[in-house]
Amino acid sequence: MNNNSDVMYRLLVQSVVDYAIYMLKPDGTVANWNAGAQRAKGYTPDEIVGKNFALFYSEEDRKNGAPQRGLSIATAVGRFETEGWRYRKDGSAFWAHVVIDAIRDDYGELLGFAKITRDCTAQQELQRKQREQEQRFRLLVEGVTDYAIYMLDLDGNVENWNAGAQRAKGYVAEEIVGQHFSRFYSAQDRKNHIPEKNLSTAFRTGRFEDEGWRYRKDGSAFWAHVIIDAIRDDSGKLIGYAKITRDCTEQRELQRKQREYEKTFRLLVEGVTDYAIYMLDLQGRVVNWNAGAQRAKGYVSDEIVGQHFSVFYGSQERLANTPEANLGIALKTGRFEDEGWRYRKDGSAFWAHVVIDAIHDEDGKMIGFAKITRDVTERRENEQQLLRARDLAQAQSAKMSELSTFLDTVIANIPSCVIVEDAISREILMVNDKAEQLFGISKHLIIHKRPHECMSAEQSDYFNSLADIALRSEGIHSREQLLLTAGGERILHTRATTISGKDMRQNYVMLIVEDVTDQREADARIHHMAHHDTLTSLPNRVLFRQKLSEALRVDNQHHSLSATLCLDLDNFKNVNDALGHQIGDDLLRVVAKRLRSALRDQDTLARIGGDEFAIVLPNINNAQEAAVVAQRLIEAIRPPVNVEGHNLSVGLSVGIALTSQTTNTPEHMLRCADMALYEAKRNGRNRFEHFTLEMDDLARSRRVIENDLRDAITGRQLKLYYQPITNEEGIIGYEALMRWHHPIKGLIMPNDFIPIAEETGLIHMLGAYALYEACREAQSWGTDQSVSVNLSPLQFKNSSLVSVVEGALRESGLAPHRLEVEITESVLLDDTLGNIRTLQSLKAIGVQIALDDFGTGYSSLSYLRSFPFDKIKIDKSFINDMGDSREAMAIIRAITGMSRSLDIQITAEGVESGEQFAKLREEGCTLFQGYYFGRPQPSELRLKELE
């Protein structure tokens, strides 16, 4: 080694600041002292040179002869290496990795010792935190009670057992560990080798997922959702299976009840024969068809479903777009109601009473129209006969007697109740048989009497009021009211009109009364079933949303305040699991009554699913009033409930959201109350929490970016740009950099979306896209230039990373040596052994590996020892500062010096000027990247900046 080399080596050692490097004389006296030693131990050279190195050890170590023992071992075998606590000048301790090498001359004579000390306190702390993390993860899995989580060995024997498994299946760990997992299956399943087939599927595909009956220790069955994942070590070797089982019996029962409810409702509608009831889609096409529709219109379901409902109208109405206009009214106002001619399949006409209701789903979204048509031809004909008879009687006085007889016959046979009064005296002049049946009085006790003389006060007031209205204005006037009749309380629909006599001095009032009780009860049953929960008879989600919408409208008009409460029972699932769904249903009914009794009449309590309830509190004064109600509800649920001899205790968690000055919608209020409910559960349950904006802000912002990013992935808004990497002769490759072309926000850089992708797991899809796209485009260049792709540390957590790289190379046909992957030091900080193995697998494929941002992290030198990188990239922060910072320049020189010693190529990032390029080339850099050579561009434009 010549003098220049000695000087360079001495300068290199002296400039290294991450390692304490110094020489000891044979007796352990410090001979020299570098900058790293001063930084690590706090002594200047003047304070330490000539002192014995034992002063870095603890008093206990010195008493035990530890310093001399290290020197003795180094003298005997050439090297001594250890880890332990060492002490700085200020007395503080650090965990040190120590190497002592014996230095001898060419004749073997001991000259002294080279001592290298590295501060490993941070690494030891990381290892401690990793052990604690593993311990917390183990305790987390063991503490989960809603899921059975356990491991199987290669043969399917149970290896461990968490609290959720014990709770779900009834076995304690000592009873089941070592047993084959097939004992949870039925005898028939075991006979058919179902457990073994499921394991085989998991082995072959990586995962088995299914639902089916499983069995507990006591023999009881539960409906289970089962996942079996094949678990492999870092080398891909199968080491066992992870099995997760969740008891879904309750959800399955709820689904069954929902299907039964829907079936009951469907059979009710389909069985109605007096009304044509069917659905239209948003365009007016028929979606379904009940028996009443087939009877009224003559079409069977197969003939009409999918056809436009305008086929029931006449040709003139279709030309005038009447069907579409009617739908428009229903869409705008919520309902269209009318009477008119409609047409059957055979072309015959009937007079129809038609109602079209706009239908919305639970979220308020318009999904179609409900159409109810009733054939009222007979009723209309009866009314027309009355009018024709009246006209004939008035026009032909010579035939009045005959027509009067005819009129009596017609009226007597009309299926509705008919009453004719003198307009002035209110004397009843005529009634038919139906009126006699309705009032339970014979005709002779009614004729020539006034209503108050032969009817109840309620009935006479009803008919007199209608007669008054008819006399005040022309036309037909109708009213509907519940009245007590001879047949009990009935709903009477009455139409009143005036009839002129021989001259204007004589007038009559005709009342036509129909008993619509059965019709209204059927309507009410259908309406109730559509708006109420079958178990508790409380309003369901649909009716709750309507009530909440009404409260919000009132708040908006009168500047008042309302609250929405979301409620969830604590410990209800345990009751269902232990005692069955019948007990659980009885408990829910009692809970519903207690909750209802704690509220005002104007408050709405709804059951929106399972053990979840919701409340609208309209017209309250402040948040404290809502809090008082919430606490009252919690106290109402607190006392035990006795169901079939079982004393059951459940708690109640409540989330509260109040209307504010911002946009208030039912969906917004429920979402806010639900977030507050989650906070109440998170803070210990059996309590209430108010919604705050802080709960929503972070979730909303993150959700917007996440949703946009998902759209970006599916909508191909992401594109790779390429920045050239050059040597002194020209461009040798490109680094692929991802850009997001947002349709509204424009170009978005990786720093703004990659963190979100890493949080949500989307980074694996983005990473795979970048690898496949970069390899495909590089293969199309027609050169031997390389392409460099950055890998996120999270991609190393995916065991399929090596397969993704192999797939990208295979599909594109790109030679492996042309692909370079860049990693940061954090990859090696996290799960070092596993990630080193992944890097070794990539290296074995032939892919080039580069260490990016070198010098900005911790203990960079150790990384160069742990893995043979092909390239080191000097972080651009050092390039930016090299002109003004001696430290930046010293680091660049140290890195280039090491790279030459280790035969690793160096790439200087962020080169932006010719002056920087010349200086870096002078320092020994061979590869360069930065705006001075070219900006990132799409593949098709990558050469234009250099042309």
Side-chain angles (χ1 to χ4, degrees), residues 342-548:
R342 296 295 183 270
Y343 296 87
R344 302 184 180 92
K345 177 183 176 182
D346 60 7
S348 60
F350 64 99
W351 189 258
H353 176 262
V354 177
V355 175
I356 303 175
D357 281 311
I359 303 298
H360 299 79
D361 63 14
E362 294 180 352
D363 297 324
K365 181 183 177 183
M366 177 80 173
I367 59 174
F369 303 89
K371 190 165 185 294
I372 303 176
T373 303
R374 185 184 181 193
D375 184 349
V376 292
T377 309
E378 182 179 357
R379 189 204 76 197
R380 182 176 186 274
E381 183 60 30
N382 291 332
E383 292 174 356
Q384 292 297 315
Q385 284 181 353
L386 281 174
L387 294 174
R388 287 194 296 269
R390 184 195 66 180
D391 292 343
L392 286 170
Q394 291 175 341
Q396 302 182 34
S397 57
K399 298 181 179 180
M400 183 62 74
S401 177
E402 181 183 348
L403 288 176
S404 178
T405 303
F406 170 72
L407 185 60
D408 288 343
T409 303
V410 171
I411 292 174
N413 290 283
I414 287 177
S416 300
C417 170
V418 178
I419 303 172
V420 178
E421 298 178 353
D422 182 281
I424 298 174
S425 68
R426 297 294 168 85
E427 178 185 351
I428 299 174
L429 304 175
M430 181 184 297
V431 294
N432 66 350
D433 295 340
K434 274 289 185 180
E436 191 176 36
Q437 295 171 14
L438 180 65
F439 299 113
I441 308 173
S442 60
K443 292 180 184 178
H444 72 276
L445 295 177
I446 299 176
I447 299 296
H448 306 306
K449 299 283 183 67
R450 297 172 183 175
H452 68 274
E453 295 173 337
C454 59
M455 300 179 187
S456 69
E458 183 182 39
Q459 291 170 355
S460 63
D461 288 347
Y462 173 64
F463 292 120
N464 285 338
S465 175
L466 269 170
D468 290 343
I469 294 171
L471 288 169
R472 283 198 297 269
S473 58
E474 294 181 346
I476 297 175
H477 303 275
S478 62
R479 181 182 295 173
E480 197 168 286
Q481 188 170 318
L482 178 67
L483 295 172
L484 183 62
T485 69
E489 286 191 332
R490 310 298 291 175
I491 300 173
L492 302 183
H493 181 85
T494 304
R495 291 184 298 280
T497 187
T498 56
I499 302 172
S500 299
K502 295 178 181 179
D503 56 46
M504 296 303 295
R505 292 171 297 176
Q506 185 68 49
N507 287 291
Y508 305 94
V509 177
M510 181 171 68
L511 301 163
I512 302 175
V513 186
E514 286 185 283
D515 183 350
V516 296
T517 307
D518 295 337
Q519 175 185 337
R520 295 298 177 261
E521 286 180 354
D523 293 344
R525 281 197 302 273
I526 292 173
H527 186 273
H528 187 274
M529 290 175 68
H531 293 83
H532 289 79
D533 170 50
T534 55
L535 178 66
T536 63
S537 292
L538 292 175
N540 62 10
R541 185 183 290 272
V542 174
L543 183 54
F544 176 81
R545 187 184 180 283
Q546 293 175 4
K547 294 292 186 181
L548 181 53

Side-chain angles (χ1 to χ4, degrees), residues 10-279:
R10 178 172 55 79
L11 289 173
L12 172 62
V13 170
Q14 288 179 348
S15 65
V16 171
V17 295
D18 289 337
Y19 290 79
I21 305 175
Y22 52 97
M23 291 291 293
L24 303 177
K25 295 179 181 179
D27 62 354
T29 302
V30 177
N32 53 38
W33 197 245
N34 82 327
Q38 181 173 339
R39 178 170 176 264
K41 303 195 178 187
Y43 296 93
T44 64
D46 294 339
E47 293 174 306
I48 201 64
V49 172
K51 301 289 181 66
N52 194 283
F53 82 112
L55 63 82
F56 306 134
Y57 288 73
S58 68
E59 183 66 30
E60 186 68 25
D61 283 346
R62 289 198 293 271
K63 285 181 180 180
N64 293 333
Q68 292 76 17
R69 190 162 48 253
L71 289 187
S72 299
I73 294 172
T75 303
V77 301
R79 167 172 283 208
F80 171 72
E81 189 169 358
T82 186
E83 288 192 358
W85 291 108
R86 296 295 183 269
Y87 295 85
R88 301 183 181 92
K89 175 184 175 181
D90 61 5
S92 61
F94 64 97
W95 189 262
H97 177 262
V98 178
V99 177
I100 303 175
D101 284 311
I103 308 300
R104 298 179 184 275
D105 61 15
D106 295 339
Y107 303 102
E109 185 70 26
L110 180 68
L111 300 177
F113 303 93
K115 188 165 185 294
I116 302 177
T117 303
R118 177 187 169 199
D119 184 350
C120 296
T121 310
Q123 289 87 329
Q124 189 201 42
E125 179 65 15
L126 282 173
Q127 291 170 358
R128 182 188 66 77
K129 288 182 178 178
Q130 184 175 5
R131 289 192 297 272
E132 290 179 354
Q133 179 68 15
E134 291 170 353
Q135 172 76 355
R136 286 196 295 269
F137 182 73
R138 179 179 62 78
L139 292 174
L140 172 64
V141 171
E142 290 178 352
V144 171
T145 58
D146 290 339
Y147 292 80
I149 305 174
Y150 51 95
M151 289 287 296
L152 306 178
D153 63 17
L154 296 175
D155 299 318
N157 297 315
V158 177
E159 290 191 324
N160 49 42
W161 197 247
N162 81 324
Q166 180 174 337
R167 179 171 175 269
K169 305 197 176 186
Y171 297 93
V172 297
E174 291 78 5
E175 295 175 302
I176 202 64
V177 171
Q179 302 292 321
H180 197 269
F181 82 110
S182 59
R183 71 187 309 155
F184 308 133
Y185 290 72
S186 67
Q188 186 62 40
D189 283 348
R190 291 196 295 271
K191 184 178 179 181
N192 294 333
H193 304 292
I194 298 301
E196 291 79 6
K197 291 177 181 177
N198 296 350
L199 270 195
S200 176
T201 300
F203 172 78
R204 190 173 62 257
T205 66
R207 166 170 283 206
F208 168 77
E209 188 168 2
D210 192 21
E211 289 193 356
W213 292 109
R214 297 295 184 269
Y215 296 86
R216 302 184 180 92
K217 177 183 176 182
D218 61 6
S220 61
F222 64 99
W223 188 260
H225 178 259
V226 177
I227 295 174
I228 303 176
D229 282 313
I231 306 300
R232 300 180 182 274
D233 62 16
D234 293 334
S235 63
K237 179 183 176 183
L238 181 70
I239 60 174
Y241 302 90
K243 190 164 186 293
I244 302 176
T245 305
R246 184 185 181 194
D247 183 351
C248 297
T249 312
E250 180 182 353
Q251 293 91 319
R252 188 170 185 265
E253 179 66 15
L254 286 173
Q255 291 170 356
R256 183 189 65 77
K257 288 182 178 178
Q258 182 66 20
R259 288 194 297 271
E260 288 181 356
Y261 169 71
E262 291 171 353
K263 180 180 178 183
T264 302
F265 186 75
R266 178 176 55 80
L267 292 175
L268 172 66
V269 172
E270 289 179 351
V272 173
T273 57
D274 291 338
Y275 292 80
I277 304 174
Y278 51 97
M279 289 285 295

Side-chain angles (χ1 to χ4, degrees), residues 860-916:
S860 301
L861 292 172
S862 66
Y863 300 153
L864 303 183
R865 294 176 56 193
S866 63
F867 184 78
F869 290 96
D870 297 291
K871 290 182 183 177
I872 296 173
K873 301 189 77 171
I874 303 176
D875 187 70
K876 61 183 178 182
S877 62
F878 299 121
I879 310 300
N880 290 339
D881 297 341
M882 62 185 288
D884 304 319
S885 169
R886 292 177 56 191
E887 290 80 4
M889 198 68 232
I891 290 171
I892 292 172
R893 285 172 180 164
I895 293 172
T896 54
M898 284 187 296
S899 70
R900 285 194 296 273
S901 301
L902 298 171
D903 196 23
I904 300 176
Q905 286 188 305
I906 294 290
T907 302
E909 293 186 295
V911 181
E912 297 186 358
S913 69
E915 182 182 351
Q916 290 176 337

Side-chain angles (χ1 to χ4, degrees), residues 21 424 571 579 652 751 908:
I21 305 175
I424 298 174
N571 202 38
L579 302 176
L652 185 69
N751 286 345

Side-chain angles (χ1 to χ4, degrees), residues 715-727:
R716 301 191 66 81
Q717 299 170 15
L718 298 164
K719 188 175 180 63
L720 291 182
Y721 280 40
Y722 296 88
Q723 185 172 28
I725 303 170
T726 72
N727 60 16

